[in-house]
Structure formats: C-alpha cells, structure tokens
C-alpha cells in the first residue's frame, strides 16, 4: 500500500473533512464523532452509523486515522459500552491542513468573483 | 418503550452480521454500542423519533454492508484504490454468487440419488402447502366479487331457547331495521328457490335468487348488459322483471343480445329480461341462473306473516366509518326495542350482524385452517428430513471442508457456499413443488365435497405464487442452516487428523438425534389427527339415518300456482303415481313435502294438546306432509298405533303420526295414540284437531351429525302440498328412470319440468363429504409423515453405522458379541424416537382440541387413538432402527478396520 504525500491528496469529501476536523481535538469514538459532526455542520451533515464506520475504515486504510486506546478514566465511567476510539495520524493532521488551505483558495476564488463579500468571516 | 428498544437493538445486532466477517469483527461491537447510545438519546424524543432512527439505520446498514461486500478486501489509498480495483479484477458479491451456484450445481448433479430424494421430499412439502394455501386463498383471503365487500354484513336473528342461531329474518324486520338503524346505509334480502324457465325447447329448472329490488345496489354489482333490478321492483305492482346470469344467457339464449327487453316465461309468468349479470357472477348461490324480485303485495306489510315468517337472508351495507361492532350494538338495541313493542313478542329472539365474508366462509374456516396446519407440519417434516440428509452429507464432506479451510477458505466462505447449495436445492424442490401443487389443486377440485366447503375459487394466482416462493426460500434456509453451520464449524486440524476415539461426531450426532426427535413428534401429531378423524368418520358412518337409503331415488316436482285447489293437487298425484308405478323396474313410489336430509318445516310458535293446553316448545317441532305409504317405502318402523292408510283423506277425522322423540318428550311413559293436538296456540271450537294414530321411529332429518328432531307427520290426502318429492324404490339405473319419468310427466302436464333425480345414498354421501374430504387429506398427510419419519430414522441410523463401522469393527474384534453391538445401535436409534413420540403425544394432546368442532362421537383426546398411534410409530421406528442394527451385527471386523 503506497501512501502519497498529503499534497497529492484528492479533495476530501465534506463528511470526511468534518470527521477529521472533529478528531483534531483528540481521540473520539463513533457516536461522539457523529454528534460533533452534526453539531458543527449545523445539522447539514448527519452520518448514520454504517456510513460513519465505512468512512472511518476508509480513512484508516488511507492512513489518515488510526485506532487509539480509550482516554484514561472514560472506559470506567461507561461500563458495558464497547467504544472504539479513533485519532488522527500525523498524515491525517497534515491532510486536514492541506484541505483547509485548498478550501481557503477556493473561497478566495469565490470572493474574487464577488460571490462572497470580502469581509465575511467564513 | 423498553420492548421497542430491545427490538431495535436486536435488529441492529442481527444486521451487523450482514457485513463481511473481518469488518464485523473490527467494528461490529462498536457499531452496536454506538447505536445503543444514540437510541438512548433519541428515546427522550418519543416513539416517532425512535422509529425514524430505526428506519434510517436499517437502510444505512443494509446499503453499507452491501457496498462493503462489493468493495475489494484490500483497500488502496484514496483515488489510487479505485484505479487498482479496475485492474485487479473484482471478486464482488455477484461473482462469488456465480461461483457458489456453479459449485452447488456440480455437487447436486454429482449425487443424483441424494438430489432426487431431497427434491421429491421438498416437492411434496411445498406442493401440499401451496395447494392447500390456494384453497385458503380462494375461500378465506380473496375478497367477495362484490362492491367494497368489507362494508357488507350479514344480518341475522337468533333464538337460543328454540335452538336456532344466526337464522333468517322476517320481511317486516328488514324494513324496520332499514329505516331505523342509522349505522346501516341500506339493507336488502334474498331467499333461495328454483324457477322454471320456459320458452323454446324443454322447460328447465334453474337455481333462483328471490331478491328485494335494491339487492344489486346494496351488494354493489352492476349488470353487464341492460340493468339490474331497482328498489321499486320489490313490490308486486311493478312490471314483472327477471335478471339472467351470464351462464344461463349463453346456455339457453346463445348470447343473443336481443334477449334484453324480450319477454320470457319464468314459473309460468311472463317476465321482461331487464339485464344480464357479468360472467362468473352467481352471488348469492352457487350457479344462480335467475334473479327474481320477491314481488310482495304492498298490503303485505300489514299482514301477520310478513312479520312472523323468517325466511330471508339479510345483507346490509354499513355507513362509512362505522365498525361492524358498533353497528351490531345499534342493531341489537333497535331490534330489542321493536320486539318489546310487539304484542306477540318473543323476547328470547335477538338480532345481530357478522361481516359477510366471515359469515359465508364460516363453515369452511375451521377445516381449511386445520388442513393448512397439517400441511405446514408436512413441510416442517420435509425440511427436517432434508436437513437430516444434508447433515449426513456434511459429515461425509467434513474432510473436504477441513482441507479447504486449511487452504485458507474462511468460515463465512464455506458457510455461504453450503447455504447457496441449500437454496439451489430448495429452488429445484420448490419448482417441482409448484408442479405438485398444480396437480394438487386439480385433485382438490375432484375431492371437494359438493356443498360443505366452498372451494369454487380454487386457483393459483399471484398471491399463491408468492406464498410458494416464500415457503421455498424459507425452507431452504430452515433445512440448510443447521448442516451448513455444522460443516463450516468443523475444525480443520481435528478432522484432518481423523482420529477414531474422540468427541468428533458427537455434535453432529446430537443434531441428528434432535432431528429424529422432531420428526417423530411431527409424525405423531399428524397420525394422531388422522386417527381421530378416522374414528370420527367411522362413528358418523355408523349412525343409522332412520330410513333406507339404498335403491331409493328422489324426484322433485314443484307444482305452480295454477294447481290452486286441493282437488287439483290430488288429481295430479292420482294421475302421475300409477304411471310411475308402471315404469319397468320401479318397485314402489311414495312422496313427502321435504327431501330427506334437508330438515323439516317448523311451524312458528307452539301447539296445544287436548286437555293439557298450550305447549311452548323449547326446541322446534318439525312438520312434514307425507303420502300414505311413506313409512313403509322408507323402512321407518311403526312403533305404536298405525301408519297412514288410504282412509285418511279429507272429510275424515284429521290424523297425525308423531315420531318417537316427540312421543317421549310430550307423553313420557304413556301411550300417545288417541290423543289430540292442534297447532292453534289458543284453541277454540274452530280449531283443527289432529288425532295421533301412530308413533314411528326417528329420522335424522338434518343429516347424520345432528340429533333427530321432534316431528309430526300429516297425511297428504288431508293436506295436499304443492311441493312433492317422490321417493321411488327401484333397481333400475337413474338415467333410464329419468327418461321414463320425463315421458310420464309430459303426458300428465307437458309444462312441468323435472328436476335432477337424486339417489338417496348419494345425498347421504354428500352429507359425509366434508368428513371424507378432511379424512382423505389428513390421512394422506399422515401416511406421508410416516414415510418421511421412517426414512429419516433409518437414514440417520444407517449413516451412524456406516460412519462408525470402524469403531464397531474394533469392538467386535475385541470380543464384543454381535448381539451386543446390534442392541447398542438399536437403543441409540430408538431412544430419540421414543422421546419424539412422547413429545408428539404431549403436543397432540393439546393441539387435537382444534379438531373438536369437526369430530363426531370421539373426543379429541381419545385414549384408544393415542395408544394406537404410539404403537404404530414405535413399530415403525423399531423396524427403521433394526435394519442398520442387524447390519452392524454382521460387520466383518477385518473389513471394517480396512475401511480407511
């Protein structure tokens, strides 16, 4: 399996990008990721469980995400739960950066074409 | 909510199994856990939110599982992965399925005997089920051929005290209810009858429905040509009209459209043909040929018979949104109020309604459901048997499986392959079963009893096809899963090392024993049911109808209104009877006002016995008019007094003969002859008093299953009736007799039609139709069950001996007596069989209760039947075990040891 440089990475999908953004804050498990993505996208992106895990599997095989041990103390407070935590790899972190820059360039294009006002925060 | 939660989590747990095993192992538990958390959050928002979540999750899991299977197992990075995939050739679900099917096909073809046995077994199971289901579909599921039939109800009256329930209603009641019950939109009524259609050619008697004018409106069916009847045509002042069935129109009028508007003669009345009904429509009777208005005089509403005589079947259409239960309640209240207003109120009578479909299929429902249950048992038995066969084969193929596992085939791969094989087998069996069902449906049409079960609409339609497909696939999964799991679970190392002494085989042997237990239990259930039905049939056959049925033929003639006076009726009989007596082969002729086995006429109200006053009948007393020689020709014994003779004519003292049951009830321990009786409830000087001159033996007037009814007979010559059923005692053939009769009748009155001749033994046979039908079907199921069970037990034991021949050989070589070896094998087989029999007896004890309503003279828990069944099944199991056991005893130790 050959891992390319993050710079060569194809553009990420919206859901993928949101998931990676959530993981920037530290390791998280499935349902927490789902909730965070839904919240941060203003409810526009709301992955179901099957889709989320397929996406995580793909990100993992692309080397952007890896499984991580549960943060200390968490497992104890949720007995009976089988949470599986995921965290960003260094490559994943880099990919988020690349993607963010790419998006900024895209936004600048939009501003240049007067789709967005220049002072908009987003 | 907790149940819903439990169900939801269970569903997700199951759905996770759709994913490829590696993926499932990696994420399955986490997915379920995440779902639980999400469900908890969602639960707070109510049931709807949970249901929405469920729908989305299920859809998502199924879709992602499918794409996971189709995706290559080796994931590349990002877009690179997609390129790789195109070159690498995809081993997707479809390809895999194709390989599996091809492999399964090779296996199936390679073992023709196994395949034939399995396919035949399945074909019988699926075929029996599909055929019976087609009957259930036709009778119970398919809607009636009426407009919005779900809104139609049958309205009836019951009087439990007088022994009749859900009986016909009086015309006045229909008019009252139609006006006063608000939940009923409209109501109509019909009565049965026959009508003589004349015109070109011979007059013909056809089945007629006498209906109120709004009949077609209420049942929601229009005429195919012309018009149906209209409301006003209920009454006699409307122009005489008739509606024809499509069948009669074809048969008698050659589908000539000019018939509409023309005038034909029906029952010697000129009637205009106003319409022709659509092809196949014959509601409310089988083969209705004409629909005639009831044609009441408008003044009839004031007559007492209009209120008192209950002879109509009433159908109502409910208002939209009204449930039958609510309408029933309102009808009950209105009817009770009307009852209370009447002077001659008979408070014990009450009215009710039942959905039409339920009412019409009521008689057939139980037998059909019993048959469906029995055929399901057969299917289960077939599944178990095929599972047994597959298990034996899975054992044989264990080394092969182990080798493949060792070479890297995953368990899921082996499992999916075994299951594919089973499904292919099931599909072949199912196809053959569908063919069997087509034959079965034909057989059902032939076997079908004439009246007892309405199996007219017996056909294979889309729903039946779907049922067969579902049964086939379900069957495949059912019989395949056990052996397939067993095959996939075999441990490679253990199997390949092929040891002799180990726990190996114990698991599969246990599975085999479970199958034998199941088979025997199912067989016990079916054989016990068949045994009970057989005992019941014998009991019914042993009932003496009370009169001779052999060599006696009934010929019915209904005289039209122009035979208005007693003298005309008597003249007709006096002219015709000597002619009949002269026909060659005729030994005796008599006649009666009602055909045997069709009940009696029960006058309304009670009667008075001289010196004792009014006798309110708690059960109805029947009444028939008979010819002087009736009791002699029918072989009914005269127990006391005398039968009628030629001196009992008009102008003489009115006489009466009563049956034994009536004599016992009203004159217990005394001689009834000489006493006088009148039908007037309040006798006065003008009352007609009948002197009882004789007591005769009881007849089963309503059929052999019901008790004889109390009955009084009146001589024809004192009260001639226009309905005459000649009973002709003859050795001559029916066809010849009919021809001769027709000639004689034409000589007396050429306008009169002769209805079909009915030999009494055939009428009697028709009464037993339902019993015979059920018995023959359940009986053949039971025989099938016995064959399947014995083959199953034998197969398992034979395989056991074959598999352990080495072990057995060693035992013999070490000095075990062949008898001991045989006994141990015998015991190993018989033990599960005995357990099966015991379990089967237990369940039969509970389940045969369902048969209670169709049994006669035998309790559903009849000990004799159960003992017999136990004996039969243990005998069969013993034989099935003994053969392999004897073979084991004859094993040559050296040959057995050389086997590997």
């Amino acid at each position: 399996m050959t891992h390319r440089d993050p710079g060569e990475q194809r553009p990420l999908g919206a859901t993928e990008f949101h998931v990676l953004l959530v993981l920037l804050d530290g390791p998280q498990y499935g349902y927490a990721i789902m909730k965070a993505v839904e919240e941060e996208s203003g409810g526009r992106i709301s992955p179901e469980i099957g889709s989320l895990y397929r996406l995580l599997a793909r990100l993992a095989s692309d080397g952007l995400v890896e499984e991580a041990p549960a943060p200390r103390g968490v497992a104890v407070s949720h007995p009976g739960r089988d949470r599986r935590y995921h965290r960003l790899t260094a490559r994943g972190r880099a990919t988020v950066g690349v993607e963010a820059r790419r998006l900024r360039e895209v936004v600048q294009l939009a501003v240049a074409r007067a789709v967005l006002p220049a002072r908009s925060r987003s | 909510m907790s149940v819903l939660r439990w169900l939801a989590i269970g569903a997700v747990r199951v759905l996770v199994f759709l994913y490829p095993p590696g993926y499932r192992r990696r994420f399955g538990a986490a997915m379920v856990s995440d779902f639980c958390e999400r469900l908890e959050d969602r639960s707070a928002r109510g049931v709807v939110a949970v249901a929405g979540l469920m729908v989305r999750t299920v859809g998502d899991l199924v879709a992602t599982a499918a794409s996971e299977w189709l995706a290559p197992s080796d994931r590349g990075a990002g877009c690179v992965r997609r390129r790789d995939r195109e070159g690498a050739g995809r081993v997707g679900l479809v390809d895999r399925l194709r390989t599996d099917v091809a492999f399964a096909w090779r296996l199936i073809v390679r073992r023709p005997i196994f395949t034939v046995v399995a396919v035949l077994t399945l074909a019988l199971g699926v075929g029996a089920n599909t055929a019976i289901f087609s009957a259930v579909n036709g009778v119970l599921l398919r809607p009636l051929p009426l407009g919005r039939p779900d809104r139609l109800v049958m309205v009836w009256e019951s009087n439990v005290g007088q022994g009749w329930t859900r009986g016909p209603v009086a015309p006045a009641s229909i008019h009252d209810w139609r006006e006063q019950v608000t939940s009923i939109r409209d109501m109509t009524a019909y009565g049965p009858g026959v009508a003589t259609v004349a015109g070109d050619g011979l007059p013909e008697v056809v089945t007629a429905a006498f209906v109120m004018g709004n009949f077609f409106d209420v049942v929601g069916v229009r005429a195919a040509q012309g018009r149906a009847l209209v409301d006003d045509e209920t009454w006699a002042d409307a122009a005489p009209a008739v509606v024809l069935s499509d069948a009669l129109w074809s048969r008698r009028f050659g589908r000539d459209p000019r018939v509409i508007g023309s005038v034909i003669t029906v029952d010697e009345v000129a009637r205009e043909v106003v319409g022709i009904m659509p092809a196949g429509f014959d509601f409310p009777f089988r083969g209705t040929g004409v629909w005639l208005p009831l044609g009441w005089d408008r003044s009839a509403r004031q007559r007492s018979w209009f209120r008192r005589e209950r002879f109509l079947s009433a159908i109502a259409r409910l208002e939209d949104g009204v449930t039958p239960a609510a309408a029933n309640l309102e009808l009950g209240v209105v009817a009770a109020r009307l009852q209370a207003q009447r002077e001659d109120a008979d408070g014990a009578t009450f009215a009710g309604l039942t959905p039409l479909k339920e009412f019409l299929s009521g008689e057939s429902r139980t037998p059909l459901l019993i048959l469906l249950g029995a055929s399901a048992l057969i299917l289960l038995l077939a599944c178990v048997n095929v599972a047994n066969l597959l298990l034996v084969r899975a054992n044989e193929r264990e080394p092969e499986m182990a080798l493949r596992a060792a070479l890297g085939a995953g368990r899921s791969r082996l499992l999916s392959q075994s299951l594919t094989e089973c499904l292919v087998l099931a599909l072949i069996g199912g196809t053959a079963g569908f063919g069997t069902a087509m034959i079965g449906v034909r057989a059902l049409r032939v076997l079908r009893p004439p009246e007892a079960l309405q199996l007219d609409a017996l056909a294979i339609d889309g729903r039946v096809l779907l049922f067969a497909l579902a049964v086939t696939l379900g069957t495949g999964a059912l019989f395949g899963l056990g052996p397939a799991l067993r095959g996939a679970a075999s441990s490679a190392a253990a199997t390949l090392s092929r040891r002799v002494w180990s726990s190996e085989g114990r698991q599969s042997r246990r599975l085999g024993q479970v199958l034998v237990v199941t088979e025997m239990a199912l067989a016990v259930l079916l054989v016990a049911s068949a045994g009970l039905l057989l005992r019941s049939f014998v009991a019914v056959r042993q009932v003496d109808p009370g009169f001779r049925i052999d060599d006696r033929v009934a010929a019915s003639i209904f005289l039209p209104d122009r035979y208005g006076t007693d003298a005309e009726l008597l003249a007709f009989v006096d002219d015709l009877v000597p002619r009949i007596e002269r026909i060659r082969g005729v030994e005796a002729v008599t006649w009666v006002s009602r055909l045997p086995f069709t009940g009696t006429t029960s006058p309304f109200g009670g009667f008075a016995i001289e010196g004792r006053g009014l006798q309110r009948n708690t059960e109805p007393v029947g009444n028939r008019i008979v010819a002087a020689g009736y009791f002699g020709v029918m072989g009914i014994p005269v127990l006391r007094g005398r039968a009628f003779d030629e001196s009992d004519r008009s102008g003489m003292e009115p006489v009466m003969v009563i049956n034994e049951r009536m004599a016992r009830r009203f004159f217990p321990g005394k001689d009834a002859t000489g006493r006088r009786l009148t039908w007037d409830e309040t006798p006065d000087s003008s009352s007609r008093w009948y002197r009882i001159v004789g007591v005769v033996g009881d007849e089963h007037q309503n059929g052999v299953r019901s008790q004889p009814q109390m009955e009084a007979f009146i001589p024809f010559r004192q009260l001639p009736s226009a309905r005459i059923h000649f009973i002709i005692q003859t050795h001559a053939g029916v066809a010849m007799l009919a021809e001769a009769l027709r000639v004689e009748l034409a000589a007396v009155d050429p306008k009169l039609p002769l209805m079909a001749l009915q030999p009494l033994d055939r009428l009697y046979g028709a009464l037993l139709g339902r019993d015979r039908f059920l018995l023959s079907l359940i009986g053949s199921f039971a025989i099938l069950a016995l064959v399947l069970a014995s083959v199953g037990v034998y197969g398992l034991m034979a395989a056991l001996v074959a598999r352990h021949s080495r072990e057995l050989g060693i035992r013999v070589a070490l000095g075990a007596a062949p008898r001991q070896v045989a006994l141990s094998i015998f015991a190993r087989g018989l033990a599960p069989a005995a357990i099966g029999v015991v379990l089967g007896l237990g369940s039969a004890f509970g389940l045969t209760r369902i048969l209670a309503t169709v049994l006669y003279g035998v309790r559903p828990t009849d000990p004799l039947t159960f003992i017999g069944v136990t004996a039969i099944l243990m005998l069969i199991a013993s034989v099935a075990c003994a053969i392999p056991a004897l073979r084991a005893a004859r094993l040559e130790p050296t040959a057995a040891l050389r086997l590997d």
Side-chain angles (χ1 to χ4, degrees):
Chain A
M1 197 184 300
T2 46
H3 287 169
R4 308 262 166 126
D5 186 270
E8 287 178 40
Q9 183 75 38
R10 66 188 163 88
L12 289 173
T15 315
E16 284 171 314
F17 188 50
H18 269 284
V19 168
L20 294 179
L21 279 178
V22 168
L23 292 180
L24 275 177
D25 294 343
Q28 250 336 335
Y29 69 100
Y31 181 50
I33 300 175
M34 282 165 73
K35 272 200 298 194
V37 167
E38 191 171 353
E39 214 175 284
E40 292 182 1
S41 68
R44 276 187 289 273
I45 297 173
S46 165
E48 297 299 330
I49 286 175
S51 306
L52 178 77
Y53 275 90
R54 241 190 133 231
L55 189 116
L56 286 172
R58 196 163 71 221
L59 293 175
S61 67
D62 286 351
L64 307 183
V65 159
E66 63 188 2
E67 286 181 31
R72 247 179 239 162
V74 175
V76 182
S77 66
H78 292 278
R81 292 275 178 241
D82 198 347
R83 291 175 173 172
R84 199 166 262 254
Y85 284 81
H86 304 263
R87 68 176 172 215
L88 284 183
T89 58
R91 188 181 147 75
R93 205 169 285 275
T95 304
V96 180
V98 169
E99 180 70 5
R101 276 192 294 279
R102 190 184 68 79
L103 284 178
R104 191 171 61 197
E105 284 161 19
V106 174
V107 170
Q108 279 163 357
L109 278 175
V111 172
R113 297 203 165 92
V115 178
L116 289 174
R119 286 186 64 246
S120 166
R121 270 187 70 229
S122 54
Chain B
M1 194 62 161
S2 63
V3 178
L4 197 67
R5 222 179 90 83
W6 184 79
L7 278 177
I9 295 172
V12 170
R13 264 186 223 284
V14 171
L15 284 171
V16 164
F17 274 84
L18 291 175
Y19 289 92
Y23 190 90
R24 187 174 68 232
R25 270 194 296 277
R26 189 162 157 210
F27 296 123
M31 284 163 80
V32 174
S33 159
D34 283 349
F35 176 77
C36 292
E37 275 191 54
R38 191 157 186 214
L39 187 66
E40 265 166 33
D41 284 1
R42 239 356 113 88
S43 297
R45 294 197 219 160
V47 180
V48 180
V50 170
L53 172 68
M54 234 10 251
V55 172
R56 282 200 309 277
T57 307
V58 169
D60 179 64
L61 288 180
V62 171
T64 49
S67 12
E68 196 55 40
W69 275 104
L70 289 167
S73 48
D74 182 27
R75 289 172 186 283
C79 48
V80 180
R81 187 186 72 223
R82 272 168 218 170
R83 259 203 318 272
D84 285 351
R85 191 199 295 167
E86 277 149 26
R90 50 204 275 198
V91 191
L93 193 61
V94 180
D95 297 306
R96 189 185 262 206
L97 194 67
R98 200 177 300 145
T99 329
D100 281 356
V101 169
F103 186 73
W105 180 250
R106 277 204 301 280
L107 279 177
I108 285 170
V109 174
R110 212 169 56 194
R111 299 285 302 266
I113 296 178
F114 164 82
T115 306
V116 166
V117 171
V119 164
L120 271 183
T121 310
L122 288 175
L124 284 174
V126 173
N129 267 273
T130 308
I132 298 292
F133 180 78
S134 73
V136 172
N137 181 38
V139 178
L140 301 181
L141 301 180
R142 201 182 298 163
L144 293 167
L146 307 173
R148 296 188 58 203
D150 53 312
R151 303 305 300 157
L152 292 173
V153 292
M154 188 64 113
V155 182
W156 41 258
E157 281 187 310
S158 289
N159 189 322
V160 179
Q162 287 180 8
W164 50 276
T165 52
R166 301 194 167 193
V169 297
S173 305
I174 293 166
H175 285 94
D176 292 341
W177 297 338
R178 196 178 167 193
E179 284 155 14
Q180 299 187 25
V181 181
T182 55
S183 32
I184 286 174
R185 174 176 295 176
D186 201 359
M187 192 162 175
T188 189
Y190 64 87
V194 289
T196 307
V197 177
D200 334 326
L202 281 173
E204 180 184 357
V205 181
V206 299
T207 304
F210 290 88
V211 300
M212 278 171 61
N214 65 345
F215 178 78
F216 295 98
D217 263 357
V218 173
V219 300
V221 177
R222 290 183 178 184
Q225 300 195 44
R227 63 169 177 85
L229 298 171
V230 293
D231 203 7
D232 264 350
E233 281 170 331
T234 305
W235 307 98
D237 50 17
V242 59
V243 172
L244 305 184
S245 74
D246 184 82
L248 184 69
W249 180 49
S250 307
R251 194 173 65 234
R252 208 170 165 94
F253 302 99
R255 306 190 78 80
D256 182 356
R258 285 171 304 180
V259 168
I260 295 182
S262 72
V263 173
I264 64 170
T265 311
V266 183
D267 280 343
E268 305 190 0
V269 174
R271 290 181 176 273
E272 186 191 338
V273 178
V274 295
I276 289 153
M277 295 313 289
F281 180 82
D282 64 354
F283 187 78
F285 307 114
R286 178 184 295 176
T288 305
V290 292
W291 287 265
L292 296 164
L294 280 158
W296 293 316
D297 206 90
R298 286 203 191 258
S299 63
R301 286 197 75 163
Q302 274 72 50
R303 302 276 184 76
S304 68
W305 69 263
F306 205 69
R307 183 158 297 288
R308 289 173 63 154
E309 288 198 11
R310 300 189 170 95
F311 61 97
L312 292 172
S313 304
I315 292 181
R317 184 172 286 282
L318 299 182
E319 285 288 358
D320 288 336
V322 177
T323 61
N328 192 26
L329 210 66
E330 194 200 347
L331 172 72
V333 172
V334 171
R337 192 180 63 219
L338 288 168
Q339 269 290 2
Q341 290 165 1
R342 282 170 56 178
E343 290 161 17
D344 56 347
D346 183 359
T349 305
F350 62 94
L353 52 82
T354 314
L356 188 59
K357 175 93 194 166
E358 194 183 313
F359 189 90
L360 295 180
S361 61
E363 286 257 302
S364 318
R365 181 176 287 266
T366 316
L368 276 178
L369 292 182
I370 288 172
L371 282 177
L372 195 65
S375 64
L377 289 184
I378 279 290
L379 184 68
L380 213 55
L381 202 51
C383 285
V384 173
N385 237 14
V386 176
N388 218 335
L389 282 174
L390 283 171
L391 183 69
V392 170
R393 216 165 65 140
N395 283 338
E396 283 169 13
R397 281 175 57 196
E398 212 170 298
E400 173 206 330
M401 290 294 207
L403 192 63
R404 286 174 55 197
L407 291 177
R411 269 188 191 177
S412 73
R413 192 77 194 84
L414 293 179
L415 183 67
S416 83
Q417 205 169 61
S418 299
L419 272 179
T420 310
E421 198 188 319
C422 295
L423 285 180
V424 171
L425 205 58
L427 281 176
I428 300 175
T431 314
F434 200 68
T436 316
M438 305 253 244
I439 301 169
V441 165
R442 269 199 207 146
L444 279 180
R445 280 210 194 103
V446 175
L447 275 174
R448 152 175 85 96
E451 293 297 331
L453 282 175
Q454 30 153 286
L455 292 182
D456 287 330
L458 204 62
I460 289 185
D461 61 7
R463 197 184 289 153
V464 176
L465 209 65
L466 214 67
F467 175 84
L469 189 69
V471 165
T472 302
L473 293 179
T475 310
L478 200 63
F479 71 68
L481 204 60
L485 280 173
R486 166 87 201 97
S490 55
S491 133
T495 309
L496 287 176
S497 65
R498 192 73 177 137
R499 65 291 81 122
V500 179
W501 315 108
S502 81
S503 67
E504 174 269 335
R506 187 173 291 167
Q507 230 182 344
S508 74
R509 203 162 67 217
R510 195 162 298 150
L511 187 53
Q513 283 169 341
V514 168
L515 292 180
V516 165
V517 168
T518 318
E519 267 183 330
M520 291 304 277
L522 291 171
V524 166
L525 254 178
L526 278 167
V527 177
S529 306
L532 288 170
L533 287 169
L534 182 68
R535 299 246 309 147
S536 157
F537 189 70
V538 170
V540 172
R541 283 302 296 253
Q542 277 170 350
V543 174
D544 177 7
F547 53 91
R548 301 279 300 271
I549 54 168
D550 50 324
D551 296 331
R552 281 155 180 84
V553 179
S556 307
I557 292 172
F558 297 161
L559 296 175
D561 290 347
R562 61 190 159 84
Y563 287 86
T565 64
D566 288 1
E568 282 166 324
L569 292 170
L570 287 172
F572 172 78
V573 167
D574 287 337
D575 193 358
L576 184 60
V577 169
R579 288 168 182 272
I580 301 177
E581 280 170 342
R582 281 201 296 274
I583 295 175
R584 221 169 51 156
V586 169
E587 289 161 23
V589 182
T590 187
W591 62 98
V592 57
S593 61
R594 258 190 112 118
L595 202 62
F597 295 125
T598 61
T600 65
T601 311
S602 301
F604 187 84
F607 56 89
I609 297 172
E610 193 175 30
R612 281 170 45 185
L614 179 67
Q615 309 289 313
R616 272 251 169 241
N617 0 338
T618 48
E619 58 179 302
V621 175
N623 183 329
R624 269 186 293 172
I625 297 163
V626 298
Y630 177 75
F631 303 112
V633 175
M634 295 298 277
I636 298 166
V638 178
L639 303 173
R640 196 159 290 155
R642 63 171 177 91
F644 298 129
D645 56 37
E646 295 302 321
S647 68
D648 299 319
R649 54 181 65 244
S650 70
M652 309 295 283
E653 183 186 29
V655 290
M656 168 184 277
V657 165
I658 61 174
N659 68 359
E660 194 186 359
R661 198 175 155 86
M662 181 168 175
R664 285 229 183 105
R665 164 79 176 77
F666 289 103
F667 307 98
K670 292 181 206 128
D671 188 0
T673 57
R675 310 295 295 265
R676 292 209 310 164
L677 187 153
T678 179
W679 296 113
D680 275 354
E681 293 190 6
T682 46
D684 54 31
S685 55
S686 68
S687 297
R688 189 179 168 93
W689 287 91
Y690 294 86
R691 186 172 299 281
I692 299 171
V693 294
V695 177
V696 294
D698 294 336
E699 286 171 76
H700 285 263
Q701 308 98 328
N702 295 307
V704 279
R705 277 171 166 268
S706 52
Q707 286 299 313
Q709 199 185 332
M710 291 194 287
E711 190 169 21
F713 299 90
I714 292 166
F716 182 81
R717 290 192 182 281
Q718 290 188 337
L719 195 68
S721 110
R723 292 182 160 241
I724 301 173
H725 301 277
F726 289 106
I727 310 284
I728 302 164
Q729 186 182 344
T730 175
H731 288 290
V734 173
M736 229 174 70
L737 182 66
E739 203 40 56
L741 261 180
R742 211 159 265 134
V743 171
E744 299 302 337
L745 185 62
V748 176
D749 184 340
K751 282 188 174 170
L752 282 183
L754 182 71
M755 289 152 85
L757 298 195
Q758 308 192 66
L760 293 194
D761 48 6
R762 202 183 295 164
L763 278 176
Y764 174 74
L767 289 177
L768 300 182
R770 193 182 74 170
D771 298 74
R772 186 174 289 131
F773 181 70
L774 263 184
L775 177 65
S776 49
L777 283 181
I778 303 262
S780 31
F781 286 170
I783 292 170
L784 203 61
L786 282 180
V787 172
L788 288 177
S790 48
V791 166
V793 174
Y794 171 80
L796 188 86
M797 294 316 295
L800 187 90
V801 170
R803 193 169 164 76
H804 291 267
S805 47
R806 185 167 157 158
E807 170 199 336
L808 296 169
I810 291 174
R811 275 168 64 182
V812 174
L814 289 178
R819 231 189 58 181
Q820 262 178 317
V821 172
L823 269 179
S824 82
I825 291 283
F826 187 73
R828 247 193 240 180
L830 210 58
I835 295 173
V837 169
V838 170
L839 285 180
L841 284 176
S843 43
F845 214 72
L847 283 174
T848 47
R849 260 164 244 276
I850 301 166
L851 292 173
T853 52
V854 295
L855 290 180
Y856 177 87
V858 54
R859 274 181 305 140
T861 52
D862 179 48
L864 202 65
T865 309
F866 279 72
I867 291 170
V869 167
T870 312
I872 291 175
L873 279 153
M874 285 316 290
L875 184 74
I876 285 182
S878 305
V879 173
C881 292
I883 299 169
L886 288 176
R887 192 178 303 151
R890 281 203 297 271
L891 271 179
E892 280 292 330
T894 44
L897 287 172
R898 234 184 285 124
L899 263 178
D900 271 345

